[in-house]
Amino acid sequence: MEALPKSKALDWAWNLRITDVGSGNSESGFSFRPDEEFRNYCRTIKANGYNAIIEQGLFWYCTYDDETRAEHMKNKKGLFKIMHEEGLKAIRHADGPSFNAISQGAFNTAKAAGWFPVDMGTLRSFQGGGCIINPFLREHVMEHLITYVKETDCDMLMIDELSVFRMGANCACEFCRKKFAEDTGYSLPMPDNQTPLFEKPGNHLNAVWMDWKLRQDGNFFNELKHRLAKVKKDVLITSYGVDFQHPIGRFQKLAPYLNVVGIEGTNHYLLANYRHLLVCRKMQAASANEYSHSQWHLHYDDWGISQAE
């Protein structure tokens, strides 16, 4: 697919100052303050220099039933309208093909049994996160994300839990095998012959496999970006990952397909790990600069500074 044209309407992402609403991933999304109180909150954070709010809640989105998702989107549409009226952008912290035991999780997980990764070595399925190479799950997740943007008018999707590496690089379901063969001309070994592929990283087939796997996230983002453009032209996409994924090249592969490059720092002791942090920041900046993207780097409460104080 061709790259989408750049728009000046996206310039706000170059000066991101973000706060959030919601009590966490499992939060229902229905327990927010009254409209006028929320409006006053928006005015306060706007006056303090913020320009965007991340919306949390209903994580593990595939877990919930249609009625719960519809009510959640209706609620967020009202909140986002207030945010827009007060000059703030709305960011959805969304997950990809993830399932959990809460709400309708057990039922939906059972229905989606054929969508989960299949271990290369044993051909056993492992649950929790689906395989985005599977066309059925891929379309399921795409439709959820597109519908959310259409119904709520959010300005950015921060897509978490998508990576093909989240459940390991060794998913070898029938769809991975077929697409890998179509794209590369190589065939994956069956369980009895898979040991050289993973126990000897210098193996050429392993290198081709890892490179191909990394590109699948990018292909997903690229397709989603083009489909979202038909719903809301200026919506942005950013990923969510952790900085230990830098050495495997995940962000270098993803950067061309994103509007904003973002990552969570995995260590909280910033003073004690400044060398690691500096390298990660430089690697991320290189990827962002190569494709003229803005970037963000998230860290939770800095325990190192807190203890030093």
Side-chain angles (χ1 to χ4, degrees):
M1 295 181 180
E2 297 181 359
L4 294 174
K6 294 184 181 297
S7 168
K8 289 186 177 180
L10 310 184
D11 289 349
W12 64 273
W14 284 92
N15 189 32
L16 276 177
R17 294 197 65 191
I18 306 171
T19 185
D20 66 340
V21 292
S23 57
N25 291 343
S26 298
E27 189 262 325
S28 67
F30 310 133
S31 56
F32 286 97
R33 59 196 77 192
D35 285 359
E36 284 310 307
E37 190 176 342
F38 182 71
R39 187 181 296 277
N40 289 335
Y41 170 74
C42 289
R43 289 172 178 171
T44 298
I45 65 170
K46 177 73 173 178
N48 287 326
Y50 292 96
N51 66 350
I53 298 178
I54 295 179
E55 175 267 316
Q56 300 276 77
L58 280 202
F59 212 64
W60 306 289
Y61 207 59
C62 293
T63 295
Y64 297 90
D65 57 69
D66 292 339
E67 291 76 13
T68 302
R69 285 192 289 260
E71 187 66 23
H72 182 255
M73 287 186 287
K74 179 181 177 181
N75 178 276
K76 291 301 178 288
K77 181 178 181 180
L79 293 179
F80 294 171
K81 182 175 184 294
I82 294 173
M83 289 163 57
H84 289 153
E85 289 172 353
E86 298 303 326
L88 296 165
K89 297 295 185 179
I91 302 174
R92 163 65 173 165
H93 181 196
D95 65 299
S98 301
F99 293 79
N100 197 300
I102 56 179
S103 184
Q104 299 290 315
F107 177 72
N108 288 334
T109 299
K111 286 200 306 182
W115 293 356
F116 294 107
V118 176
D119 182 70
M120 170 80 74
T122 64
L123 295 187
R124 294 176 179 173
S125 176
F126 44 103
Q127 287 76 46
C131 175
I132 60 168
I133 312 301
N134 183 312
F136 305 105
L137 178 62
R138 186 186 188 91
E139 183 62 24
H140 186 70
V141 174
M142 288 262 187
E143 283 298 322
H144 281 327
L145 295 171
I146 293 168
T147 299
Y148 191 92
V149 172
K150 182 178 180 180
E151 295 297 325
T152 67
D153 195 30
C154 77
D155 302 292
M156 180 190 290
L157 289 175
M158 176 190 287
I159 304 176
D160 200 352
E161 308 291 351
L162 178 71
S163 173
V164 294
F165 282 92
R166 193 175 74 82
M167 300 299 288
N170 59 333
C171 174
C173 67
E174 60 176 304
F175 302 103
C176 280
R177 289 179 176 276
K178 180 180 179 182
K179 193 171 191 310
F180 179 68
E182 291 173 348
D183 291 350
T184 68
Y186 290 93
S187 295
L188 289 178
M190 293 304 288
D192 290 345
N193 301 313
Q194 65 86 29
T195 301
L197 184 62
F198 291 104
E199 291 189 357
K200 297 180 180 178
N203 182 296
H204 176 67
L205 182 58
N206 180 53
V208 175
W209 168 250
M210 295 289 282
D211 179 75
W212 179 83
K213 274 285 188 178
L214 282 168
R215 293 180 187 278
Q216 301 316 301
D217 280 4
N219 291 341
F220 180 93
F221 284 127
N222 200 35
E223 180 183 345
L224 178 62
K225 187 187 299 184
H226 281 76
R227 292 177 62 174
L228 281 172
K230 299 175 183 178
V231 174
K232 183 173 181 175
K233 182 178 66 173
D234 292 328
V235 67
L236 301 179
I237 295 178
T238 187
S239 64
Y240 196 103
V242 287
D243 54 15
F244 62 71
Q245 292 173 321
H246 271 307
I248 63 174
R250 179 172 185 255
F251 291 94
Q252 293 89 327
K253 292 291 195 304
L254 283 184
Y257 306 103
L258 302 172
N259 302 110
V260 183
V261 178
I263 192 171
E264 172 193 328
T266 55
N267 65 75
H268 300 265
Y269 295 89
L270 303 189
L271 295 180
N273 293 280
Y274 69 92
R275 287 174 293 184
H276 166 82
L277 174 63
L278 182 61
V279 170
C280 287
R281 292 293 291 269
K282 285 183 176 293
M283 291 176 70
Q284 181 177 326
S287 297
N289 293 339
E290 176 69 20
Y291 301 100
S292 300
H293 292 337
S294 60
Q295 58 181 305
W296 58 269
H297 201 148
L298 168 69
H299 288 277
Y300 296 106
D301 293 341
D302 182 14
W303 303 336
I305 291 179
S306 298
Q307 290 183 0
E309 294 175 342

